[in-house]
Amino acid sequence: MLEMNGLQKVFRSGLVETHALRDFSLTVDAGEFVAVTGPSGSGKTTFLNIAGLLDGFSGGSYFLDGYNVTQLNDARRSKMRNQKLGFIFQSFNLIADLNIFDNVDVPLRYRGFSGRERKKRIDKMLEMVGLLGRKKHFPGQLSGGQQQRVAIARALAGEPRMILADEPTGNLDTLMAKQIMELLEDVNRQGTTVIMVTHDPNLARRANRHIQIVDGQLTDFQMYEPLSKIQQTAVAV
Amino acid sequence: MLGYYLILGWRSLWKTPIISVLMMLVLGLGMSFSLVLLTVMESSRYNPMQHKIDNLYAVQLDNWSDDPANIFFGSKNFIPTAISFRDAKALLASDIPTRATMLTASGAMLENPGNKEVAPQLHSGYLVTRDFFSMFDVAFASGGAWEKQNSYNGIHAIVLNEWLSNTLFGSVDSVGEMLLVDGTPYTVSGVVKGDWYMAPRVYDYSKNPFGSSPGFYFPLEDIALNDYKRWGGIYGWKQEEINSHQQFLASEALWVRPWLEFESSQQKELFETFVKAYVEQEQNNGRYEGSNKVVLSNSTQWMSIQEGYQAYADYVLAALILLICTTNSIALLMAKFLKTTADSAIRRALGASRYSIFTQHMFEAFLVALGGGVFSLLISYYWFAVINRTMSGWDYQFLSQFTKLSPVSLIFVFVLVLVATTLSGALPAWRVSKTEPGRYLNAE
Ligand SMILES: Nc1ncnc2c1ncn2[C@@H]1O[C@H](COP(=O)(O)OP(=O)(O)OP(=O)(O)O)[C@@H](O)[C@H]1O
Ligand SMILES: [Mg+2]
């Protein structure tokens, strides 16, 4: 699904150069649920932005769903974002001037679906996240958890192959965080790849793979084996 | 998709209704103001003597100082637009042109001695020579030009405009009647039709060329006897002692406007040669220190020469207003668009290409343009109505003939506003479409 090799990302602001990613390599298979953790400023968001084609990179290669990203122009990238990717952000990023229905409508508009098809999909998604009754409401009239559910509905409306979530529960309380997590797990069970950045080790633990980014580089944890087994080995030594 | 952009643009404008309306209003005001200005300028460029374009010529002689510090109208390209009386006499004496007239704006106290009920009154008119009437197609209600006589001993004939004839003599035909011009008896030889007019009066720009028709015309030759008023422009450069009217007539003061009529270009060239020879002869007599340049201009060229002296101030003004308007709308649109950069970033993440973000904002600019266009039409209509009402007074009656908003110029303005504003939205739209979405999406 996603294959990064020796990625470099350098931010230049004035005289300061920040190496946000250095020699970053990662492969994610279709259907995986990957949790990304790491200290603040380590490059997690940078990684997600590049993975989501929202940002370029300075060196290395990136293949998304078999396409060499560097060779795609803006229109093709935008199309890939629209058809294959779904984004969920910590700050929800709903468009304040649009009601819930119209927010979920946005990616479908760029997709070029007919009005009837759009309405069908929007209603289905809002029903799934339990907010169909609120479709005329504006984001400001909803709680944080509800807003994030709208954002998820929006991300899923186009039936993407991969969800990129940047601390989706960062602004939510534990109960709401749990609901969101369950939603994402549901989506993943239906075959959608999920990459989720989180600060919450409990959430990270629920993913079937946990990677850590430290100082722009990857440290791979395999979480398939139970934690206790590793601890046992350590004790045995 | 285009419908979607229209809806988004409409919503975005509706979100800040006052700013949106203000933006459109400023645009509308500016555009309609330049439209009015341009229309008036256009009408001033209308040449009423177009049908004689190859026949009528004004002549310019370089009778100006050779002092580099004293240049006519501040440009070496300009030579005087009037000639001296003595040169006018010399040109009139030539048989080469089919017709020739020498003229200047004037004015006089007119009095009908046979009707004491009408008080003597001051009117503005023109000193002309008799060919003037046929050269410039003056339409007579009765009578005509005075008899031909090469005389500087007093022709004492006058042509009245119909309204002036009515004022002085009532509704009777005044041809053959006598009246006093500054106290001197003159006989009316013709009455010009009241509805005959020429605007602009190409033959003389020195005195309100768009004003109403002159009240009367009388022989320039008669100025040899009487110091009649000269209300046209007088140019002078030479320090001369002038103590009498006769000294003035013999001086280098430049105030007569000479026009010639030719039937062929050979005739014109012949005349040019004649004038050149005359100027060279005068140079031998110690006159003409400028040059021996002789410039013959047809009526259209003459109009543009006259405009040249106005230094294109009107065009600059119109362009400035347009510039201010578009700059204003660029600034307001820029501010408005940049405020929604975060929304655009979200749209980018959800699959909008740069191009579609750009297009979306162009549609918003287009809506502003549409509003501005509608405003400019409304305001223009109003302004033209005001102008026409204001100028329906007697002095501007001819200008008002041209200041009617034609459907063609309406459409022209509408398209102009549309294109200009939509284009002015391009820069802000491009800026917004260019921003990298990443940095806006994770800001807390
Ligand atoms: N647009 C930018 N310009 C300059 N530097 C940037 C930019 N974006 C990120 N950086 C820098 O790149 C590094 C990685 O940033 P990034 O946002 O990826 O970290 P993060 O792991 O997401 O942190 P957090 O957990 O706080 O969200 C940081 O040092 C940051 O300051
Ligand atoms: Mg981050």
Side-chain angles (χ1 to χ4, degrees):
Chain A
M1 182 74 221
L2 171 154
E3 192 184 332
M4 291 175 168
N5 263 309
L7 273 196
Q8 305 283 349
K9 177 68 183 178
V10 185
F11 288 110
R12 281 195 189 82
S13 40
L15 291 174
V16 187
E17 269 194 3
T18 311
H19 292 261
L21 293 180
R22 47 184 101 211
D23 196 20
F24 186 95
S25 302
L26 172 71
T27 304
V28 175
D29 293 328
E32 277 194 284
F33 193 127
V34 181
V36 183
T37 58
S40 185
S42 58
K44 303 183 295 295
T45 296
T46 306
F47 154 67
L48 270 196
N49 281 346
I50 293 174
L53 311 181
L54 291 173
D55 212 344
F57 47 91
S58 358
S61 69
Y62 172 25
F63 286 82
L64 175 62
D65 210 17
Y67 291 95
N68 185 350
V69 165
T70 14
Q71 288 170 1
L72 302 179
N73 62 16
D74 177 70
R76 293 288 304 279
R77 287 179 194 217
S78 301
K79 203 166 177 183
M80 277 189 98
R81 277 200 301 275
N82 184 241
Q83 300 187 350
K84 303 196 175 185
L85 302 177
F87 292 90
I88 303 168
F89 304 95
Q90 179 175 358
S91 47
F92 320 135
N93 281 335
L94 297 178
I95 297 176
D97 298 334
L98 301 181
N99 65 27
I100 301 318
F101 186 92
D102 289 338
N103 259 286
V104 181
D105 190 31
V106 173
L108 304 179
R109 287 279 189 170
Y110 294 117
R111 188 73 164 264
F113 284 143
S114 72
R116 199 208 257 148
E117 171 77 12
R118 294 198 318 267
K119 185 173 181 329
K120 202 182 86 193
R121 284 183 181 237
I122 298 165
D123 285 347
K124 187 175 140 205
M125 284 303 132
L126 286 179
E127 178 146 38
M128 182 193 83
V129 298
L131 288 170
L132 189 56
R134 306 237 177 185
K135 62 179 174 184
K136 293 283 175 227
H137 286 213
F138 283 84
Q141 297 169 306
L142 302 183
S143 75
Q146 288 170 330
Q147 288 189 49
Q148 196 60 303
R149 271 148 55 198
V150 174
I152 291 176
R154 186 177 65 180
L156 294 174
E159 292 174 351
R161 308 252 290 113
M162 178 160 79
I163 292 281
L164 299 168
D166 197 349
E167 300 185 40
T169 59
N171 283 352
L172 303 176
D173 63 33
T174 338
L175 187 67
M176 284 188 175
K178 197 166 154 269
Q179 287 179 357
I180 297 295
M181 188 61 194
E182 278 163 6
L183 251 174
L184 286 177
E185 282 169 343
D186 260 2
V187 169
N188 177 243
R189 261 193 295 278
Q190 282 156 31
T192 309
T193 313
V194 177
I195 300 179
M196 179 182 75
V197 169
T198 181
H199 276 301
D200 184 339
N202 291 319
L203 293 184
R205 207 167 290 135
R206 290 167 66 159
N208 55 21
R209 181 172 168 202
H210 178 190
I211 63 173
Q212 197 169 17
I213 299 179
V214 179
D215 203 14
Q217 281 182 314
L218 196 68
T219 331
D220 210 340
F221 286 93
Q222 294 299 327
M223 297 298 290
Y224 300 118
E225 300 164 77
L227 199 63
S228 53
K229 200 172 165 189
I230 299 170
Q231 281 165 344
Q232 279 166 12
T233 332
V235 170
V237 171
Chain B
M1 210 56 209
L2 301 187
Y4 185 51
Y5 294 143
L6 274 177
I7 293 169
L8 290 179
W10 172 256
R11 281 195 191 165
S12 165
L13 292 174
W14 190 241
K15 222 182 104 190
T16 54
I18 295 178
I19 292 188
S20 302
V21 168
L22 216 68
M23 217 151 41
M24 296 172 187
L25 208 65
V26 167
L27 264 172
L29 267 173
M31 296 306 286
S32 60
F33 187 74
S34 6
L35 173 76
V36 170
L37 208 64
L38 287 172
T39 310
V40 172
M41 278 159 51
E42 252 339 288
S43 66
S44 75
R45 217 167 293 117
Y46 167 76
N47 183 356
M49 295 311 295
Q50 186 64 42
H51 56 288
K52 284 192 172 177
I53 194 69
D54 291 328
N55 307 105
L56 293 184
Y57 286 87
V59 61
Q60 282 172 280
L61 309 176
D62 192 9
N63 185 7
W64 201 254
S65 162
D66 66 348
D67 176 4
N70 182 8
I71 297 172
F72 187 72
F73 268 80
S75 167
K76 275 193 217 128
N77 296 328
F78 295 158
I79 62 175
T81 49
I83 63 174
S84 65
F85 185 67
R86 54 191 288 190
D87 289 339
K89 278 165 77 176
L91 297 194
L92 268 180
S94 164
D95 295 335
I96 301 168
T98 307
R99 296 189 181 96
T101 186
M102 306 285 147
L103 54 95
T104 192
S106 178
M109 283 300 280
L110 301 184
E111 184 183 355
N112 175 3
N115 183 358
K116 289 293 169 198
E117 273 163 33
V118 183
Q121 40 195 279
L122 183 65
H123 285 283
S124 61
Y126 262 84
L127 282 161
V128 301
T129 58
R130 74 179 292 278
D131 282 350
F132 169 83
F133 303 99
S134 46
M135 286 171 75
F136 291 101
D137 298 337
V138 179
F140 284 93
S142 72
W146 47 84
E147 289 306 311
K148 187 176 175 79
Q149 38 186 302
N150 291 327
S151 162
Y152 292 90
N153 302 321
I155 297 171
H156 294 154
I158 187 168
V159 167
L160 293 180
N161 199 309
E162 201 167 2
W163 59 264
L164 188 52
S165 172
N166 289 341
T167 312
L168 295 169
F169 295 98
S171 53
V172 298
D173 184 358
S174 59
V175 171
E177 299 284 338
M178 197 268 281
L179 84 165
L180 299 178
V181 177
D182 280 351
T184 307
Y186 272 71
T187 309
V188 179
S189 73
V191 175
V192 175
K193 272 190 184 158
D195 58 1
W196 181 83
Y197 66 87
M198 182 193 285
R201 289 198 301 269
V202 282
Y203 55 82
D204 181 22
Y205 273 80
S206 69
K207 192 172 176 266
N208 188 14
F210 292 94
S212 50
S213 291
F216 63 98
Y217 309 83
F218 66 130
L220 179 87
E221 292 92 333
D222 286 4
I223 206 164
L225 299 179
N226 247 323
D227 187 6
Y228 289 118
K229 296 173 184 66
R230 294 166 313 270
W231 285 354
I234 297 185
Y235 309 117
W237 55 275
K238 197 170 179 179
Q239 298 286 338
E240 288 171 293
E241 198 161 315
I242 297 176
N243 297 315
S244 68
H245 181 53
Q246 292 310 319
Q247 270 175 336
F248 171 75
L249 294 181
S251 76
E252 301 291 9
L254 309 175
W255 54 277
V256 183
R257 271 101 189 137
W259 282 86
L260 298 315
E261 185 171 336
F262 305 112
E263 261 148 30
S264 67
S265 50
Q266 293 97 302
Q267 200 181 0
K268 182 186 151 214
E269 278 157 30
L270 211 61
F271 182 73
E272 217 170 333
T273 316
F274 157 75
V275 180
K276 266 211 155 75
Y278 167 73
V279 169
E280 273 155 26
Q281 172 204 317
E282 289 302 291
Q283 278 178 327
N284 292 336
N285 295 339
R287 299 181 64 220
Y288 280 90
E289 44 182 79
S291 70
N292 63 350
K293 229 193 269 175
V294 172
V295 180
L296 288 168
S297 312
N298 68 29
S299 45
T300 300
Q301 291 164 336
W302 185 248
M303 289 169 80
S304 72
I305 286 173
Q306 296 292 337
E307 263 177 27
Y309 297 135
Q310 291 166 21
Y312 296 96
D314 293 347
Y315 283 106
V316 173
L317 189 62
L320 259 176
I321 292 163
L322 280 181
L323 196 72
I324 291 168
C325 283
T326 22
T327 315
N328 173 75
S329 75
I330 289 179
L332 285 173
L333 279 177
M334 186 73 93
K336 201 167 160 53
F337 287 178
L338 288 184
K339 252 196 231 162
T340 61
T341 310
D343 285 354
S344 299
I346 295 172
R347 290 182 178 279
R348 296 271 284 135
L350 297 176
S353 63
R354 277 204 188 107
Y355 172 76
S356 55
I357 295 293
F358 179 78
T359 315
Q360 177 197 330
H361 287 90
M362 285 305 277
F363 265 79
E364 191 171 335
F366 172 76
L367 285 179
V368 171
L370 212 62
V374 169
F375 270 123
S376 87
L377 292 191
L378 293 178
I379 298 168
S380 298
Y381 257 128
Y382 177 75
W383 279 27
F384 276 98
V386 168
I387 288 178
N388 279 317
R389 206 172 30 212
T390 318
M391 293 195 171
S392 59
W394 66 275
D395 207 25
Y396 290 100
Q397 52 178 312
F398 307 128
L399 182 54
S400 69
Q401 295 284 336
F402 296 106
T403 49
K404 292 206 178 73
L405 201 48
S406 73
V408 176
S409 51
L410 274 185
I411 293 166
F412 174 73
V413 182
F414 201 80
V415 172
L416 193 72
V417 180
L418 224 57
V419 172
T421 320
T422 311
L423 283 183
S424 77
L427 180 67
W430 183 78
R431 273 287 300 275
V432 171
S433 73
K434 215 61 188 164
T435 44
E436 287 296 338
R439 30 193 314 214
Y440 290 91
L441 296 171
N442 301 290
E444 252 113 272

